[in-house]
Amino acid sequence: MNNDNIIAGEDTLDPQTLLKKQAGESAAEHVKDGMVVGLGTGSTVKWTILKLGQMIEDGIKIIGIPTSVRSEVLAREAGIPLSTLDAHPEIDLTIDGADEVDAHLNLIKGLGGALTREKIVAACSKKEIIVVDDSKLVDVLGTKAPVPVEILPFALEPCKISLAKLGSEPVLRMNENKKEVYKTDNDNYILDCRFDSITNPVELEQRINNTPGVVENGLFLNLIDLVMIASPDGVRTLPDQFS
Ligand code: 5RP
């Protein structure tokens, strides 16, 4: 497919979408010929995926490992050859979005629902870049976003009770029509757990994941190498350099 057809002209984009596009496209510059690339999920990394499609048209050869059905469909449309973790358990570089980013490169992810596959892919990646606009930066995790927790449907009520005991207000995620329960690509539910502020994310991540019935949670700690942040002043990185 010619990717020009699926990339809107910049003059039609609202300011925040334009920032997402700038962050997403900048990260694609880190993708080199021959790489196995983890493809994150969301409206920011969408621009990375489309840019990678253009780079493939221009001759680069890469293999993508998508983190969601949504990204798989988008990547196929963009012409990115795809594979699986079974065939490629070691990923050179993953690019993904985030819902909150703190100064230590720790994240909340999963408002898009793909947290479990995203965390597995992140753990299999030699390097992970996060692309965000500057509205995602926070001093303390939990300031704006709830922590999404993917759970087995069988364990809904016990998980609600346990996660409330950890100090959150768990809310079962619904589809946009508010009538059906949202289901992840793994056929599980998500409890969005709002915590007042998360002062010890390492302990909280362990306690959430020690709850029977919890599959994974959206705290991404010590998994990220670089965050690319788009603001009206341009795209800056945290830390300054890719180490
Ligand atoms: C999906 C995610 C997304 O990366 C996160 O929600 C950010 O999405 P967007 O770039 O659309 O704001 O974690 O599970």
Side-chain angles (χ1 to χ4, degrees):
M1 177 172 196
N2 180 343
N3 290 311
D4 293 344
N5 296 335
I6 46 180
I7 299 180
E10 297 210 339
D11 48 349
T12 64
L13 301 177
D14 65 77
Q16 194 185 20
T17 305
L18 191 53
L19 294 182
K20 290 179 182 210
K21 181 173 188 281
Q22 285 163 355
E25 290 184 346
S26 304
E29 289 165 21
H30 290 276
V31 174
K32 305 291 177 223
D33 197 41
M35 277 187 169
V36 177
V37 182
L39 306 171
T41 299
S43 57
T44 314
V45 80
K46 160 191 143 177
W47 296 104
T48 312
I49 294 173
L50 295 178
K51 183 75 183 175
L52 292 177
Q54 286 180 337
M55 289 163 63
I56 286 169
E57 278 179 17
D58 292 342
I60 192 176
K61 288 199 175 12
I62 60 166
I63 292 170
I65 310 289
T67 54
S68 63
V69 172
R70 219 180 336 149
S71 291
E72 182 180 338
V73 170
L74 182 65
R76 277 194 206 291
E77 283 173 6
I80 302 175
L82 299 178
S83 186
T84 61
L85 281 183
D86 285 345
H88 294 93
E90 199 170 82
I91 295 172
D92 294 303
L93 171 65
T94 289
I95 303 174
D96 204 345
D99 301 301
E100 283 191 356
V101 179
D102 76 9
H104 308 289
L105 277 58
N106 290 327
L107 318 173
I108 290 179
K109 285 182 52 53
L111 293 194
L115 61 146
T116 299
R117 295 191 190 189
E118 288 173 334
K119 201 183 272 191
I120 294 167
V121 167
C124 294
S125 300
K126 291 186 210 157
K127 298 276 178 194
E128 173 112 356
I129 296 179
I130 294 298
V131 286
V132 289
D133 64 80
D134 57 354
S135 71
K136 304 288 183 66
L137 300 181
V138 293
D139 290 333
V140 181
L141 291 179
T143 307
K144 300 177 184 176
V147 178
V149 180
E150 181 161 346
I151 61 157
L152 294 178
F154 180 76
L156 175 59
E157 286 308 317
C159 280
K160 266 191 188 167
I161 294 167
S162 301
L163 292 167
K165 282 189 186 150
L166 296 183
S168 78
E169 289 173 30
V171 175
L172 181 62
R173 192 177 295 185
M174 304 296 285
N175 278 339
E176 268 174 33
N177 65 18
K178 310 261 188 252
K179 289 188 185 140
E180 296 134 22
V181 179
Y182 175 87
K183 284 227 176 169
T184 67
D185 288 345
N186 315 308
D187 263 344
N188 292 321
Y189 292 166
I190 289 184
L191 288 170
D192 286 309
C193 297
R194 188 162 279 287
F195 291 88
D196 266 351
S197 80
I198 300 170
T199 47
N200 190 339
V202 173
E203 187 189 337
L204 182 62
E205 193 202 10
Q206 282 167 2
R207 291 182 75 188
I208 294 174
N209 277 3
N210 277 343
T211 305
V214 166
V215 177
E216 193 47 87
N217 74 79
L219 287 166
F220 281 51
L221 312 176
N222 303 316
L223 285 169
I224 307 308
D225 299 283
L226 190 77
V227 183
M228 304 189 74
I229 306 151
S231 74
D233 298 329
V235 179
R236 66 187 170 94
T237 61
L238 253 183
D240 296 338
Q241 306 244 332
F242 210 177
S243 55

